[in-house]
C-alpha cells in the first residue's frame, strides 16, 4: 500500500528518466503528484455508435479493432498508423502520426475506447489522432468509471516535455485510493459555511470528475484551503512585522538630483515616480516592503542603484541579491559605472569576493570582505546565493533588494533579514520582477507589500522584430546574422540543453510519443558551437556559455562579449534573465518550442536594449498547431504582462510563477481575481485566530498549517 509521503519512484514504471521529469514539475512525493491538479478537462463523455457520428463532433465510441498497420510516408518523413474500427452499426478509421509503436499496443480484435474529433474527409469517416485505450468486455458494459483517457471528462495537466497528461493519468489514477484515508484539515463548520467538498471527494473529483460542476467545486475547495492557509500565515506574519521599526534614512533630494543629472540618459517618468515613492518609504521609519514590477528592459536596475545610494549615504549597508553569477558581475559593473566611484561597493559570489573603493580596489579575500560586512562598513553588496551562507553577517543592514524575485523563494529574503546584527531595526525590502503578478494576487501572497510598476520603456527603443523560423530557412537567417555582424552588431544563439541526450528512455513506450522523442534531440550547446564554428560561422568569433562553466571563464566570456570581441554567443538559458548587452541585435532561440512564453520573452529582452533595430528568431522543428499558436503569440505580442497571462493559461501557474520554488500554492496563485472571496477567507482566518491563536482546538488544521509553514521555509 502506498502512503502520501512515499517518493514517486515507488510507482511502477518510474525510473531515473521519469524522476527527472517529475522533478521538473516539482513532484517528489505521491502527495505532490496527487496535488498536481489538471488545469482543464477534455469532455469525452458523449458516446455514439459509429453509424450516428457526425462530421466535426468530439465523441467517444467503443469498437473492435479489425485491422491496424503502419505506413511510412516518405515525402513527409513520418509514420502514419491507421486502424479500422467496427461496431455493430458500421466501421470507421482512426489515424495517428509518428507513433508507429501503436501497432504493438493496439492488438487486432481488441475492444477499444476511442475519443476525439471525427472528420469526414473525402467521404471517408475517421478519427484523427484520437485518445484511445484498450477495454475489456466487462468494462465494455458501460463501466466508464474505469476509463482514464477516453469516454469521460479527461483531465489535462500542466506538463513538461516527456511527461504528458496521458502519462500523468496513468500514474495518478491507480493511487487515487490513497485519498480515502485522508482527514480533512478544514473544520467541519467552516466547510459547511462555505459549502466546501470534503477532502477525499474533492481529490477524486478534481482528477476524474463526474461532471464539470463537480470539478469546479473540487477546485474551489482546494483554492479555499490554500488561500486560508496563506491568510493564516500572513496574519501571523503581519502581527510580527507590525512591531518592527526600520532605519530612517535621510530624505536627501539633492543627492538623488545630482546623481540623476550625471546619468547618460534621462529617467523615464515611471522611474522618477518610483524613486520618489521609495525615498519616502526609506524615510518613514517603518520597514519598506515594496515589489517593483517592470517589463524586461524597463530600467529596474536604476531604481536599485538609487535606493542603494540613499542607503549607503545614510550610513547603512545595502544588499542586492541576484540569481546568477553573471548577472551579479554585470550589476557590479553597472553600479560602479553609474555611481562613479563615490561609494564603496562589494561583490560576493560563490567564486569571487571583490571590493571597489577609493583606496582599495580589486579582489580581496573572502575573509576580509566578510569582516567588513560584519563590522557594518557602509557598502553596496551585490551577490548571489552566497550572500545567504552561514558565515555572512551584516553589521548595519539597511536595505535588501532582490532582483528577478520570481527566481527566489519568499523565505530567502527572510534569511537575509535574519543576518542583520542590529536586531532592533528591520531592513527595508525591495523586490524586483519582470514577471507580472496581478495586484490582488500579490496582496494575498505578500500581504501588505506595496507595488510599484514601471509601465514605461525608455524612449527610442524599437519593437523587436520576431519571426518563427522552420528548418528550411535557417541558412537565410544565419546570412542575416552575418550582415548584422558586418554592421558591428552581435548575436545570441540559445540552445535548450548542454549535453546531447542519447540515453534511452526507460518508460513504457506507449507513454511517450515519437514527437517527444524527437524533441529530445535538441541541439546541445557544445555540438551546436562546434557545428557553427566549423561551418557557417568559421570566419567569426564565437564563444559558448553555460551554467556549469567555471566562474572565471564565464566572466571572461561575458566581458569579451560586452566589449564586442565576440560576435556570437552560443548559450544555454543562463542568459535568460538580466543580461544587458545593448550592442546585441539578434537573438536566435533554437528549439524554441521547449521554452515557456515568459521565458522566451525574457530571452527576447536580451536584445533591443540599445538604439539599433533588433530581431528575435524562434527556431522550431515542430509543425503542430498548438506549438505554432504558442510561438505565434511571441510574434504578435510584445507585452510581457500579456504573454505571462497566456503562459499561465497554457502551462499552469506553478511553472509560470515558479511558485513551487517560492512555496506558495499554485491554486492560490491561479485564481485570485475574486477579491471579495479573498476578503471572506481573510475574515475566517482572523476569526479562527482570535478565538484560538494556536489552533489548539483544531489539531488537523494546526498540523496542516505547520506543514505549510515548514514548506515555506524549506523552499
Ligand atoms: P530591466 O528592467 O530589464 O532590469 P535594465 O535596468 O537592465 O532593465 O535596463 C535596460 C537598459 O536600459 C540598460 O542598458 C539601461 O542602462 C537602460 N536604461 C535604463 N533606464 C533608461 C532610461 N531612462 N533611458 C534610456 N536607457 C535606460
Ligand atoms: Mg534586470
Amino acid at each position: 500500500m502506498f502512503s502520501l509521503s512515499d517518493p514517486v519512484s515507488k510507482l511502477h514504471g518510474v525510473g531515473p528518466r521519469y524522476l527527472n521529469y517529475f522533478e521538473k514539475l516539482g513532484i517528489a512525493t505521491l502527495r505532490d503528484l496527487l496535488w498536481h491538479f489538471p488545469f482543464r478537462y477534455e469532455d469525452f463523455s458523449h458516446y455514439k455508435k459509429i453509424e450516428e457520428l457526425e462530421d466535426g463532433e468530439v465523441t467517444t465510441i467503443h469498437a473492435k479493432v479489425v485491422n491496424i498497420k503502419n505506413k511510412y510516408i516518405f515525402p513527409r518523413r513520418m509514420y502514419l498508423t491507421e486502424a479500422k474500427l467496427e461496431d455493430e452499426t458500421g466501421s470507421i478509421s482512426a489515424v495517428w502520426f509518428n507513433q508507429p509503436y501503436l501497432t504493438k499496443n493496439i492488438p487486432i480484435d481488441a475492444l477499444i475506447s476511442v475519443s476525439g474529433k471525427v472528420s469526414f474527409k473525402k467521404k471517408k469517416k475517421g478519427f484523427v489522432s484520437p485518445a484511445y485505450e484498450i477495454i475489456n468486455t466487462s468494462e465494455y458494459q458501460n463501466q466508464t468509471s474505469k476509463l482514464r483517457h477516453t469516454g469521460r471528462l479527461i483531465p489535462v495537466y500542466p506538463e513538461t516535455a516527456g511527461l504528458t497528461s496521458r502519462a500523468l493519468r496513468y500514474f495518478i489514477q491507480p493511487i487515487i485510493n490513497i485519498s480515502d484515508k485522508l482527514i480533512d484539515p478544514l473544520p467541519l463548520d467552516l466547510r459547511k459555511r462555505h459549502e466546501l467538498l470534503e477532502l477525499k471527494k474533492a481529490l477524486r473529483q478534481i482528477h476524474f470528475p463526474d461532471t464539470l460542476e463537480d470539478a469546479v467545486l473540487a477546485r474551489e475547495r482546494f483554492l479555499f484551503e490554500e488561500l486560508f492557509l496563506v491568510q493564516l500565515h500572513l496574519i501571523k506574519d503581519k502581527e510580527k512585522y507590525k512591531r518592527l521599526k526600520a532605519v530612517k534614512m535621510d530624505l536627501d533630494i539633492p543627492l538623488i538630483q545630482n546623481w540623476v543629472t550625471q546619468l547618460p540618459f534621462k529617467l523615464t517618468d515611471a522611474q522618477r515616480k518610483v524613486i520618489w515613492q521609495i525615498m519616502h518609504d526609506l524615510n518613514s521609519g517603518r520597514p519598506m516592503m515594496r515589489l517593483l514590477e517592470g517589463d524586461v528592459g524597463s530600467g529596474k536596475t536604476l531604481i536599485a542603484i538609487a535606493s542603494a545610494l540613499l542607503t549607503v549615504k545614510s550610513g547603512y549597508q545595502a544588499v542586492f541579491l541576484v540569481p546568477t553569477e553573471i548577472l551579479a558581475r554585470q550589476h557590479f559593473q553597472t553600479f560602479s559605472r553609474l555611481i562613479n566611484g563615490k561609494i564603496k561597493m562589494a561583490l560576493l559570489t560563490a567564486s569571487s569576493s571583490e571590493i571597489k573603493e577609493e583606496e582599495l580596489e580589486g579582489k580581496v579575500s573572502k575573509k576580509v570582505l566578510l569582516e567588513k560586512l560584519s563590522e557594518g562598513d557602509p557598502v553596496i553588496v551585490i551577490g548571489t546565493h552566497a550572500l545567504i551562507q552561514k558565515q555572512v553577517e551584516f553589521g548595519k543592514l539597511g536595505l535588501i533588494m532582490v532582483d528577478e524575485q520570481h527566481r527566489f523563494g519568499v523565505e530567502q529574503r527572510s534569511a537575509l533579514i535574519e543576518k542583520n546584527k542590529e536586531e532592533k531595526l528591520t531592513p527595508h525590502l525591495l523586490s524586483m520582477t519582470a514577471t507580472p503578478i496581478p495586484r490582488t494576487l500579490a496582496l494575498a501572497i505578500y500581504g501588505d507589500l506595496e507595488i510599484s510598476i514601471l509601465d514605461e520603456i525608455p524612449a527610442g527603443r524599437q519593437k523587436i522584430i520576431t519571426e518563427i523560423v522552420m528548418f528550411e530557412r535557417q541558412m537565410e537567417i544565419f546570412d542575416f546574422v552575418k550582415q548584422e555582424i558586418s554592421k558591428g552588431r552581435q548575436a545570441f544563439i540559445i540552445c535548450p540543453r548542454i549535453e546531447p541526450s542519447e540515453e534511452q528512455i526507460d518508460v513504457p513506450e506507449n507513454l511517450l510519443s515519437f514527437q517527444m522523442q524527437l524533441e529530445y534531440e535538441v541541439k546541445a550547446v557544445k555540438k551546436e558551437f562546434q557545428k557553427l564554428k566549423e561551418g557557417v560561422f568559421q570566419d567569426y568569433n564565437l564563444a559558448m556559455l553555460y551554467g556549469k562553466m567555471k566562474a572565471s571563464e564565464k566572466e571572461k566570456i561575458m566581458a569579451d562579449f560586452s566589449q564586442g570581441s565576440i560576435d556570437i554567443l552560443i548559450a544555454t538559458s543562463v542568459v535568460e534573465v538580466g543580461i544587458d548587452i545593448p550592442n546585441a541585435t539578434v537573438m536566435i532561440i533554437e528549439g524554441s518550442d521547449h521554452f515557456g512564453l515568459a521565458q522566451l520573452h525574457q530571452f527576447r529582452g536580451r536584445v533591443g536594449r540599445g538604439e539599433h533595430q533588433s530581431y528575435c528568431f524562434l527556431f522550431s522543428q515542430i509543425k503542430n498547431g498548438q506549438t505554432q499558436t504558442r510561438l505565434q503569440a511571441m510574434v504578435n505580442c510584445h507585452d510581457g504582462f500579456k504573454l505571462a497571462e497566456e503562459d499561465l493559461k497554457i502551462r499552469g501557474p506553478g511553472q509560470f510563477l515558479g511558485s513551487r520554488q517560492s512555496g506558495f500554492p499554485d491554486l492560490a496563485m491561479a485564481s485570485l481575481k475574486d477579491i471579495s472571496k479573498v476578503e471572506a477567507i481573510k475574515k475566517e482566518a482572523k476569526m479562527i485566530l482570535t478565538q484560538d491563536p494556536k489552533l489548539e482546538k483544531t489539531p488537523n488544521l494546526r498540523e496542516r498549517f505547520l506543514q505549510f509553514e515548514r514548506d515555506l521555509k524549506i523552499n
Side-chain angles (χ1 to χ4, degrees):
M1 221 21 239
F2 292 117
S3 93
L4 283 185
S5 53
D6 286 339
V8 277
S9 58
K10 247 189 131 176
L11 293 175
H12 181 70
V14 176
R17 168 69 81 166
Y18 258 129
L19 273 183
N20 183 21
Y21 304 148
F22 275 124
E23 199 185 310
K24 277 196 189 141
L25 289 176
I27 298 172
T29 62
L30 297 189
R31 181 178 208 285
D32 300 336
L33 182 57
L34 275 183
W35 261 257
H36 186 70
F37 296 152
F39 64 98
R40 68 179 180 89
Y41 303 87
E42 205 83 74
D43 188 356
F44 291 154
S45 59
H46 304 283
Y47 285 83
K48 282 209 165 168
K49 293 290 175 201
I50 290 176
E51 189 187 52
E52 304 161 342
L53 295 176
E54 281 165 37
D55 192 16
E57 73 180 335
V58 173
T59 184
T60 298
I61 61 162
H62 286 176
K64 202 169 108 172
V65 180
V66 181
N67 194 354
I68 181 162
K69 51 180 187 288
N70 286 324
K71 270 186 219 160
Y72 186 69
I73 304 184
F74 187 72
R76 295 173 66 186
R77 288 187 169 64
M78 67 178 188
Y79 281 99
L80 186 117
T81 306
E82 181 162 15
K84 191 172 174 215
L85 310 174
E86 220 175 64
D87 69 6
E88 65 275 17
T89 68
S91 70
I92 190 167
S93 76
V95 292
W96 293 271
F97 304 100
N98 280 332
Q99 301 179 57
Y101 52 81
L102 286 180
T103 51
K104 275 187 262 159
N105 295 342
I106 307 178
I108 290 180
D109 278 347
L111 215 41
I112 175 179
S113 175
V114 171
S115 294
K117 198 170 184 173
V118 183
S119 108
F120 282 11
K121 259 195 199 139
K122 295 179 194 153
K123 290 195 196 130
K124 201 174 166 189
K125 278 188 185 184
F127 281 94
V128 181
S129 303
Y132 71 92
E133 63 197 298
I134 311 286
I135 49 180
N136 61 38
T137 9
S138 63
E139 273 165 2
Y140 189 45
Q141 310 302 327
N142 269 339
Q143 276 197 28
T144 53
S145 61
K146 295 233 177 69
L147 295 174
R148 57 182 169 213
H149 304 302
T150 62
R152 51 174 303 148
L153 285 164
I154 298 299
V156 181
Y157 296 96
E159 303 177 349
T160 184
L163 192 52
T164 59
S165 286
R166 189 175 171 95
L168 284 161
R169 292 192 289 267
Y170 173 89
F171 291 123
I172 290 172
Q173 206 210 28
I175 60 161
I176 197 106
N177 292 338
I178 308 177
S179 59
D180 293 344
K181 289 185 300 191
L182 299 177
I183 301 167
D184 199 322
L186 295 179
L188 185 63
D189 58 326
L190 179 72
R191 259 188 280 141
K192 282 205 168 135
R193 259 199 307 285
H194 293 270
E195 296 174 0
L196 303 172
L197 292 189
E198 204 200 345
L199 177 61
K200 314 179 217 213
K201 179 158 189 210
L203 261 181
R204 265 181 198 282
Q205 293 297 327
I206 202 160
H207 289 290
F208 297 100
D210 295 328
T211 65
L212 272 180
E213 277 142 37
D214 289 319
V216 170
L217 285 177
R219 218 180 157 70
E220 275 175 2
R221 188 237 168 266
F222 287 109
L223 174 64
F224 190 100
E225 177 181 326
E226 296 190 339
L227 282 178
F228 187 63
L229 294 169
V230 169
Q231 293 304 333
L232 289 177
H233 172 74
L234 289 175
I235 292 167
K236 293 201 145 204
D237 216 42
K238 192 168 158 194
E239 281 167 7
K240 245 191 273 166
Y241 223 74
K242 254 192 200 157
R243 297 189 285 268
L244 303 175
K245 276 200 201 150
V247 188
K248 193 171 156 78
M249 316 240 179
D250 310 328
L251 191 67
D252 194 343
I253 297 171
L255 169 75
I256 294 299
Q257 273 173 344
N258 283 337
W259 169 70
V260 168
T261 48
Q262 286 169 24
L263 289 175
F265 39 69
K266 261 183 71 190
L267 291 187
T268 64
D269 286 343
Q271 283 171 323
R272 218 174 274 281
K273 204 173 93 196
V274 172
I275 290 175
W276 187 241
Q277 286 172 335
I278 291 174
M279 288 179 78
H280 282 274
D281 285 357
L282 294 180
N283 179 247
S284 72
R286 300 203 142 278
M288 166 171 84
M289 286 196 65
R290 193 171 277 282
L291 176 70
L292 175 60
E293 294 186 5
D295 206 345
V296 191
S298 58
K300 293 184 288 294
T301 316
L302 228 25
I303 309 291
I305 298 177
S307 313
L309 200 58
L310 280 162
T311 305
V312 176
K313 283 286 186 187
S314 298
Y316 283 86
Q317 297 169 316
V319 295
F320 195 17
L321 178 63
V322 306
T324 64
E325 289 200 39
I326 300 174
L327 194 52
R329 161 81 42 193
Q330 178 190 289
H331 278 330
F332 187 57
Q333 282 155 358
T334 310
F335 270 58
S336 321
R337 182 160 44 87
L338 295 179
I339 288 181
N340 279 329
K342 284 191 212 99
I343 270 179
K344 198 181 292 182
M345 300 205 10
L347 175 73
L348 182 66
T349 66
S351 62
S352 45
S353 45
E354 279 178 45
I355 288 189
K356 223 176 216 147
E357 60 180 312
E358 277 151 77
E359 326 84 83
L360 174 72
E361 173 145 353
K363 301 201 164 54
V364 293
S365 76
K366 197 163 174 183
K367 188 159 164 277
V368 171
L369 179 56
L370 292 184
E371 263 169 33
K372 280 180 176 287
L373 296 182
S374 175
E375 281 161 15
D377 198 12
V379 59
I380 299 173
V381 197
I382 298 173
T384 54
H385 281 92
L387 287 167
I388 305 172
Q389 285 164 6
K390 248 210 230 106
Q391 322 89 293
V392 185
E393 268 188 337
F394 300 97
K396 280 186 94 176
L397 187 54
L399 171 68
I400 295 170
M401 299 183 290
V402 183
D403 198 11
E404 312 292 351
Q405 142 85 38
H406 61 286
R407 289 294 199 92
F408 293 99
V410 186
E411 294 298 310
Q412 268 151 337
R413 64 180 195 225
S414 313
L416 272 175
I417 292 177
E418 279 160 24
K419 293 188 168 298
N420 187 23
K421 281 164 61 184
E422 201 167 320
E423 280 162 11
K424 280 183 224 118
L425 295 177
T426 306
H428 297 280
L429 174 78
L430 178 64
S431 292
M432 308 200 289
T433 183
T435 306
I437 305 172
R439 188 178 171 79
T440 49
L441 180 60
L443 273 177
I445 299 169
Y446 301 109
D448 281 350
L449 205 78
E450 299 289 328
I451 298 176
S452 296
I453 297 185
L454 283 183
D455 49 6
E456 199 181 339
I457 295 289
R461 299 266 174 84
Q462 302 172 38
K463 204 176 247 184
I464 301 160
I465 296 173
T466 305
E467 268 182 56
I468 304 172
V469 177
M470 302 308 281
F471 186 73
E472 310 82 69
R473 283 191 51 227
Q474 292 186 359
M475 271 323 206
E476 188 187 315
I477 301 303
F478 288 147
D479 281 340
F480 178 78
V481 171
K482 289 180 186 169
Q483 283 172 37
E484 285 288 298
I485 295 173
S486 70
K487 289 190 221 154
R489 305 286 85 78
Q490 293 162 282
F492 288 97
I493 299 180
I494 307 292
C495 308
R497 279 183 159 219
I498 305 176
E499 302 284 351
S501 90
E502 265 129 31
E503 335 139 42
Q504 272 310 302
I505 295 162
D506 60 346
V507 294
E509 236 187 347
N510 61 334
L511 297 183
L512 206 78
S513 71
F514 185 67
Q515 183 141 71
M516 296 221 143
Q517 296 184 35
L518 260 188
E519 281 178 38
Y520 286 112
E521 292 163 17
V522 290
K523 285 170 195 155
V525 171
K526 287 176 185 170
K527 233 175 159 180
E528 187 63 6
F529 175 74
Q530 279 310 323
K531 200 181 90 192
L532 294 174
K533 200 175 161 55
E534 285 156 19
V536 235
F537 292 118
Q538 51 182 312
D539 302 328
Y540 294 82
N541 291 320
L542 269 54
M544 37 174 187
L545 189 72
Y546 49 87
K548 280 195 195 130
M549 276 165 108
K550 266 204 248 127
S552 55
E553 273 178 89
K554 281 192 253 185
E555 266 162 35
K556 169 127 192 6
I557 287 169
M558 280 319 292
D560 289 350
F561 193 49
S562 175
Q563 279 157 23
S565 57
I566 292 170
D567 301 316
I568 305 175
L569 187 65
I570 296 154
T572 58
S573 54
V574 285
V575 299
E576 178 186 340
V577 290
I579 300 299
D580 189 37
I581 310 282
N583 190 48
T585 55
V586 185
M587 167 59 69
I588 291 178
I589 304 166
E590 302 241 8
S592 59
D593 11 64
H594 291 260
F595 298 104
L597 289 178
Q599 213 178 352
L600 290 174
H601 182 64
Q602 285 276 3
F603 284 134
R604 176 166 62 184
R606 296 310 117 222
V607 297
R609 297 170 85 84
E611 79 252 46
H612 312 289
Q613 175 62 55
S614 294
Y615 306 84
C616 175
F617 299 108
L618 307 168
F619 281 20
S620 166
Q621 301 193 359
I622 298 180
K623 276 202 169 123
N624 84 35
Q626 205 196 342
T627 307
Q628 291 294 313
T629 320
R630 221 159 59 81
L631 295 182
Q632 195 60 38
M634 286 292 298
V635 176
N636 300 338
C637 180
H638 292 256
D639 178 335
F641 282 46
K642 286 205 186 107
L643 283 169
E645 258 171 43
E646 216 29 54
D647 210 20
L648 186 70
K649 271 192 236 149
I650 298 170
R651 294 197 306 160
Q655 296 193 13
F656 156 70
L657 279 174
S659 63
R660 297 254 181 218
Q661 292 140 38
S662 72
F664 273 106
D666 289 0
L667 274 177
M669 297 269 194
S671 23
L672 279 178
K673 286 164 208 134
D674 188 356
I675 189 82
S676 64
K677 179 177 238 153
V678 177
E679 292 300 335
I681 294 174
K682 199 177 210 162
K683 223 161 121 192
E684 289 284 0
K686 265 195 188 136
M687 200 162 82
I688 204 162
L689 283 177
T690 331
Q691 289 167 359
D692 181 15
K694 291 191 170 144
L695 301 176
E696 278 154 341
K697 289 179 211 151
T698 49
N700 293 327
L701 176 61
R702 184 183 146 81
E703 197 180 313
R704 175 78 182 90
F705 180 62
L706 292 176
Q707 180 63 47
F708 177 80
E709 296 220 300
R710 270 198 301 276
D711 288 348
L712 282 183
K713 283 240 160 61
I714 294 166
N715 288 302

